[in-house]
């Protein structure tokens, strides 16, 4: 395969995603917190154009041929590395610039196409997927979204060709999800021509391969006569003097990915390589991660399918008690649940990708929801596949135990699932809080605000009796759609009650936040499933022709509804005080609850 080989056709083009405009285009999930269903964001269900579908097929065929010839995932895992020839082969496929616009040497793939390719690479080899994603989903994404034209012209064509490999440097020893706690600094020189960058970043994927870092550091500036530190982003030459690397981390899984600490000691960064304005770094990091999480979600779902395919083949040939173990219902249930959950993950990811491609839509909570759900699905599926395989599943001679190890990091990558649940809850609460803040301001001057108070009270009374409805769901799913619409209504009222009860103190109520986030995730994915199955019925020509989709709806939606109903009920009646007491006693004593009777 020569270095000039390009196996991706230029036809995979689409309008590039625009930054979200939440003030004018609020997200679907945020609207759930208000008891509303924004069907315009999920219906009609997004689909690939004929051109995209044909081009995607060619890309996937190329990746599969490459994988069959060059990728040995078990060997990569054993060696803790993949050969440079494998990386170069990936570059030669042309995928390193898949989402970069054509004008900068890439292919301008839509989010729908890009994330499907991401998923294929993830199922091929998770460590190789980390290499691909760390470069494109986050490494050079900041330049694409926030770089000026000169920066884009200077860096993106070389990123697209694979001439330079990018990495994303955010996490520090003392700041993971809390980016504001970072210690890395960038000090502007006296002549104003460059910054001196100093600090330590850890867990940096692609660190050993990188030619370019997107680095986040604090810059001290004057604000109203006081010195303030503001998080700022920089494009940094990874080979610049003053940069050194730690040893390759020895990890539980994705062993072939190159993960290291990166040390910066007064690294000279030209002012022209500052990304965005001073103080814009936190926003840049969030926007990059918001879009990057979707690839992680699709790769997780595809990984679940991949390892379950292995388990399906084993279950059909492994016999016990004179019959294949796949004929036993207790095994069949594992496959059925994984199948409908993959259906939900794929549906949610397609909806979110459609939002990205549409432009201007606030998709931050949708991509977070997809990442949380799909990453946990992949880990569950890997464990279930290992369980189906029994004893051989625990052996390194078979792929199951590696799948468990490799999938585990996805619950941590690009924002832990705990942090993302808090993000979903707190961002979802913003609009409900703003609605009630207006009421609070009115009560400060009740004589002159009777109209505002009356409008709120009348609106609340109306919300209590007026339920949202689905208008674009196929009549075959009237019952399922009705149950989800009722739950959205109940959720909105429960959220409003909580905000009235706790006010700003809701920020500290993480037991409640977790229930709210889980409810929102379930309602979003159930809605995505309804939208997809409705589209499939139309595409295939009727309910009978779409029976496998109908079955997924009939199983998944009630399953999600039961969880959502339980979590909404838990917002009113719960054991949180006891949970907190048990946890705090354990933290104080260092022991997990009362000791066993034999230890008394």
């Amino acid at each position: 395969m020569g270095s000039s080989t390009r196996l991706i056709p230029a036809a995979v083009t689409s309008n590039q995603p625009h930054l979200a405009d939440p003030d004018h285009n609020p997200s679907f999930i945020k609207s759930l917190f208000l008891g509303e269903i924004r069907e315009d964001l999920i219906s009609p269900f997004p689909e690939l154009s004929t051109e995209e579908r044909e081009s995607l097929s060619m890309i996937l065929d190329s990746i599969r041929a490459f994988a069959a010839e060059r990728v040995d995932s078990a060997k990569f895992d054993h060696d803790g590395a993949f050969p440079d020839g494998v990386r170069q082969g990936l570059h030669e496929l042309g995928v390193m610039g898949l989402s970069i616009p054509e004008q900068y040497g890439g292919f301008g793939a839509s989010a729908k196409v890009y994330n499907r390719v991401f998923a294929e690479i993830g199922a091929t080899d998770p460590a190789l997927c980390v290499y691909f994603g760390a470069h494109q989903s986050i490494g050079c994404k900041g330049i694409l979204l926030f770089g000026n034209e000169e920066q884009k012209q200077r860096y993106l064509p070389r990123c697209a060709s694979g001439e330079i490999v990018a990495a994303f440097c955010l996490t520090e020893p003392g700041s993971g999800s809390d980016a504001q706690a970072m210690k890395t600094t960038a000090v502007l020189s006296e002549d104003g021509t460059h910054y001196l960058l100093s600090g330590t970043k850890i867990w940096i994927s692609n660190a050993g391969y990188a030619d370019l870092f997107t680095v986040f550091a604090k810059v001290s500036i004057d604000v109203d006569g006081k010195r303030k530190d503001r998080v700022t982003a920089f494009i940094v030459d990874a080979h610049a003097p003053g940069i050194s690397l730690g040893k390759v981390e020895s990890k539980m899984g994705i062993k072939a990915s190159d993960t290291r600490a990166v040390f910066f000691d007064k690294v000279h960064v030209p002012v022209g390589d500052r990304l965005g304005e001073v103080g814009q770094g936190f926003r840049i990091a969030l926007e990059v991660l918001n879009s990057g999480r979707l690839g992680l979600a699709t790769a997780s779902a595809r990984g679940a399918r991949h390892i379950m395919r292995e388990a399906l083949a084993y279950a059909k040939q492994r016999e016990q008690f004179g019959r294949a173990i796949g004929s036993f219902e207790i095994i069949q249930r594992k496959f059925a649940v994984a199948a409908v959950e993959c259906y939900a993950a794929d549906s949610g990811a397609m909806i979110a990708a459609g939002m990205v491609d549409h432009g201007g839509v606030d998709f931050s909570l949708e991509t977070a929801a997809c990442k949380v759900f799909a990453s946990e699905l992949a880990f569950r599926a890997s464990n279930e596949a290992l369980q189906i395989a029994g004893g051989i599943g625990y052996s390194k001679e078979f792929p199951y135990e590696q799948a468990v190890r490799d999938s585990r990091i996805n619950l941590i990558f690009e924002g832990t699932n705990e942090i993302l649940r808090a993000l979903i809850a707190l961002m979802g609460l913003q609009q409900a809080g703003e609605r009630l803040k207006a009421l609070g301001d009115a009560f400060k001057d009740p004589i002159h605000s009777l109209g505002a108070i009356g409008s709120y009270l009348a609106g609340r009374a109306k919300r209590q009796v007026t339920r949202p409805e689905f208008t674009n769901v196929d009549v075959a799913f009237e019952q399922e759609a009705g149950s989800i619409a009722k739950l959205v209504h109940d959720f909105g009222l429960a959220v409003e009650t909580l905000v009235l009860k706790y006010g700003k103190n809701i920020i500290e109520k993480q037991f409640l936040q977790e229930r709210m986030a889980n409810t929102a995730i379930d309602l979003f994915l159930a809605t995505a499933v309804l939208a997809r199955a409705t589209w499939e019925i139309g595409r295939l020509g009727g309910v009978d022709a779409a029976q496998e989709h109908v079955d997924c709806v009939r199983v998944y939606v009630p399953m999600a509804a039961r969880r959502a109903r339980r979590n909404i009920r838990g917002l009113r009646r719960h054991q949180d005080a006891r949970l907190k007491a048990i946890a705090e006693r354990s933290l104080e004593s260092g022991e997990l609850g009362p000791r066993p009777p034999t230890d008394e």
Side-chain angles (χ1 to χ4, degrees):
M1 189 180 295
S3 60
S4 62
T5 303
R6 287 275 178 152
L7 297 182
I8 297 180
V12 191
T13 55
S14 170
N15 293 328
Q16 282 301 305
H18 303 288
L19 296 179
D21 183 12
D23 292 335
H24 298 92
N25 249 337
S27 82
F28 181 88
I29 288 181
K30 284 185 181 178
S31 296
L32 295 177
F33 281 76
L34 298 176
E36 299 170 358
I37 299 172
R38 288 205 58 194
E39 260 190 300
D40 58 304
L41 288 174
I42 60 158
S43 182
F45 189 77
E47 59 182 307
L48 296 174
S49 67
T50 301
E51 185 180 39
E52 282 183 314
R53 192 171 294 280
E54 291 173 354
S55 299
L56 177 59
S57 178
M58 292 173 63
I59 299 169
L60 297 179
D61 286 346
S62 299
I63 291 172
R64 289 162 187 158
F66 163 75
E69 179 184 348
R70 309 285 291 276
V71 175
D72 185 341
S73 192
K75 179 173 172 53
F76 298 166
D77 180 69
H78 176 271
D79 296 346
F82 32 73
D84 286 341
V86 172
R87 293 195 302 118
Q88 187 59 39
L90 200 63
H91 296 188
E92 291 168 358
L93 289 178
V95 296
M96 299 298 275
L98 192 63
S99 67
I100 294 173
E102 286 184 282
Q103 69 194 89
Y104 303 116
F107 294 96
S110 67
K112 294 186 288 292
V113 169
Y114 174 76
N115 287 294
R116 177 61 185 88
V117 174
F118 195 111
E120 190 67 25
I121 297 174
T124 299
D125 182 72
L128 197 61
C129 186
V130 170
Y131 175 76
F132 169 79
H135 166 75
Q136 195 166 178
S137 286
I138 57 176
C140 60
K141 191 72 168 185
I143 302 173
L144 177 60
L145 294 178
F146 291 92
N148 58 41
E149 188 58 28
E150 189 276 332
Q151 290 169 336
K152 291 178 180 179
Q153 293 285 357
R154 183 151 46 106
Y155 292 113
L156 292 181
R158 291 186 292 156
C159 287
S161 68
E163 177 186 343
I164 58 176
V165 175
F168 187 79
C169 299
L170 178 64
T171 304
E172 298 187 3
S175 67
S177 298
D178 182 10
Q180 294 285 12
M182 70 175 57
K183 301 296 183 183
T184 299
T185 60
V187 180
L188 185 63
S189 63
E190 290 186 5
D191 61 5
T193 62
H194 64 276
Y195 291 88
L196 292 177
L197 180 70
S198 298
T200 300
K201 300 292 183 178
I202 61 171
W203 303 114
I204 306 306
S205 297
N206 282 2
Y209 301 127
D211 304 290
L212 177 152
F213 292 132
T214 298
V215 184
F216 297 85
K218 285 187 172 177
V219 174
S220 182
I221 59 172
D222 282 318
V223 179
D224 298 329
K226 297 181 180 179
R227 298 299 289 177
K228 299 285 186 178
D229 291 334
R230 295 290 183 261
V231 177
T232 305
F234 298 90
I235 306 166
V236 180
D237 178 356
H239 306 297
I243 294 178
S244 57
L245 304 179
K247 65 178 180 63
V248 177
E249 298 288 350
S250 179
K251 305 183 295 296
M252 171 183 173
I254 56 167
K255 292 185 176 183
S257 63
D258 189 294
T259 310
R260 311 186 192 209
V262 183
F263 307 98
F264 301 90
D265 183 12
K266 297 180 180 177
V267 178
H268 187 291
V269 182
V271 168
D273 281 338
R274 187 185 68 220
L275 188 58
E277 300 300 322
V278 171
Q280 203 177 6
F282 192 60
R283 182 193 174 199
I284 291 173
L286 286 178
E287 290 283 0
V288 169
L289 292 172
N290 284 343
S291 59
R293 290 185 184 112
L294 191 52
L296 188 56
T298 57
S300 294
R302 182 61 51 170
R305 287 182 177 276
H306 181 75
I307 195 60
M308 273 298 186
R309 193 178 299 126
E310 297 282 345
L312 282 163
Y314 180 78
K316 286 193 291 186
Q317 62 86 22
R318 170 63 168 170
E319 291 192 356
Q320 290 286 279
F321 309 105
R323 53 195 281 202
I325 63 171
S327 68
F328 293 108
E329 290 182 351
I330 202 166
I331 300 297
Q332 291 177 346
R333 185 182 185 282
K334 297 178 188 295
F335 290 125
V337 171
V340 299
E341 290 185 335
C342 281
Y343 188 88
D346 293 341
S347 302
M350 196 69 170
I351 290 282
M355 293 176 181
V356 176
D357 288 335
H358 180 278
V361 178
D362 179 8
F363 53 77
S364 57
L365 300 194
E366 288 72 21
T367 57
C370 288
K371 186 268 188 183
V372 170
F373 182 81
S375 63
E376 293 175 1
L377 162 62
F379 189 55
R380 282 196 305 274
S382 298
N383 277 281
E384 291 285 40
L386 189 153
Q387 187 70 18
I388 291 165
I392 69 163
Y394 207 63
S395 168
K396 283 186 175 291
E397 294 184 27
F398 298 88
Y400 306 100
E401 63 84 28
Q402 183 184 340
V404 171
R405 290 186 288 106
D406 284 345
S407 64
R408 185 59 183 85
I409 187 59
N410 294 335
L411 283 72
I412 299 171
F413 260 160
E414 298 188 25
T416 68
N417 286 5
E418 290 75 20
I419 283 293
L420 292 183
R421 283 185 165 94
L423 172 78
I424 290 169
L426 294 176
M427 290 185 69
L429 283 165
Q430 283 178 351
Q431 286 175 286
E434 288 166 3
R435 177 186 282 173
L436 295 175
K437 182 178 182 299
L439 176 67
D441 292 340
F443 273 118
K444 293 176 183 177
D445 187 11
I447 299 296
H448 296 95
S449 303
L450 290 176
I453 295 170
S455 294
Y456 169 78
L457 294 176
R460 178 168 172 79
K462 182 179 179 181
R463 288 192 295 276
Q464 286 177 325
V465 297
T466 305
R467 295 179 182 174
E469 293 181 350
F470 287 97
T471 59
N472 295 323
V473 172
D474 192 273
V475 293
F477 306 128
E478 182 178 0
Q479 182 176 343
E480 288 82 6
S483 71
I484 296 301
K486 181 182 185 304
L487 286 166
V488 171
H489 175 254
D490 293 346
F491 183 48
L493 292 177
V495 166
E496 190 172 55
T497 298
L498 288 174
V499 175
L500 281 169
K501 180 178 181 179
Y502 293 107
K504 64 182 180 181
N505 292 327
I506 194 72
I507 293 173
E508 298 299 325
K509 302 295 183 180
Q510 290 190 347
F511 290 132
L512 297 176
Q513 290 171 27
E514 184 176 32
R515 294 188 191 102
M516 284 187 278
N518 287 339
T519 300
I521 292 169
D522 278 326
L523 294 178
F524 167 63
L525 288 168
T527 303
V529 164
L530 289 168
R532 177 185 174 183
T534 295
W535 172 72
E536 295 282 9
I537 288 173
R539 183 177 70 89
L540 296 172
V543 172
D544 291 343
Q547 191 58 52
E548 62 178 332
H549 300 277
V550 173
D551 287 343
C552 286
V553 172
R554 298 275 193 259
V555 173
Y556 181 78
V557 172
M559 191 163 62
R562 284 192 295 271
R563 291 194 300 260
R565 196 173 296 112
R566 185 167 58 249
N567 277 309
I568 292 170
R569 188 167 58 247
L571 295 175
R572 300 189 301 271
R573 299 191 301 275
H574 48 71
Q575 298 270 3
D576 290 357
R578 286 191 175 89
L579 288 172
K580 192 170 183 64
I582 292 169
E584 289 181 345
R585 281 195 296 265
S586 296
L587 286 163
E588 183 177 353
S589 67
E591 292 287 343
L592 194 60
R595 292 180 295 177
T598 53
D599 293 357
E600 292 295 335

